[in-house]
Amino acid sequence: GWAQNMPDAPGKAETLKVCSGCHEVTRATSMHLDRAGWQNEMEKMISLGAKGTPEEFESILNYLSKSYPAEEVPKVRINSARPIELEAGLTLRRSQAAALVAYRSKHGPFHSIEDLKNVPGLDFAYIESKKDRITFE
């Protein structure tokens, strides 16, 4: 399962224990943030009811910051990414990610950023601002 794909490092057990109480951990680890970003994300989860000790949260913060850092964000493969990967990687709304996948399924692969203009319901100006994050491989 997805837990085996997580790097083995201090904090993995705490991350699995605390974060999987509410959602699949893959939902969080599809993001790549700097330490401040992970801190904000964790504070949001705590406000939503995540339960753990201060030591566990510190351990989780260290784990996520080291294992899923901002500077090594992989590009989003626009022609094969699943909706959740589009949502996380390009910060798209679920409806936009679904529209992109539906269009791709019907019309075939995208070849350039311009092709994305044809996707109904997709904010092209926004997508264009993320073009450095997109690969057409």
Side-chain angles (χ1 to χ4, degrees), residues 37-112:
W38 281 119
Q39 178 75 45
N40 287 340
E41 196 61 26
M42 215 164 61
E43 286 168 7
K44 187 169 84 181
M45 295 303 130
I46 292 167
S47 76
L48 293 171
K51 300 280 183 257
T53 65
E55 294 75 22
E56 285 172 325
F57 286 123
E58 182 64 22
S59 192
I60 291 167
L61 179 59
N62 290 335
Y63 178 76
L64 292 172
S65 300
K66 286 189 180 83
S67 302
Y68 302 96
E71 51 279 357
E72 296 174 32
V73 179
K75 288 188 181 259
V76 175
R77 295 173 182 267
I78 203 83
N79 288 314
S80 61
R82 300 187 333 265
I84 185 82
E85 295 166 328
L86 294 166
E87 282 178 53
L90 300 173
T91 9
L92 291 179
R93 289 194 307 275
R94 186 167 291 165
S95 59
Q96 291 190 322
L100 196 151
V101 170
Y103 187 90
R104 183 179 73 197
S105 300
K106 189 172 179 184
H107 299 281
F110 299 104
H111 301 289
S112 73

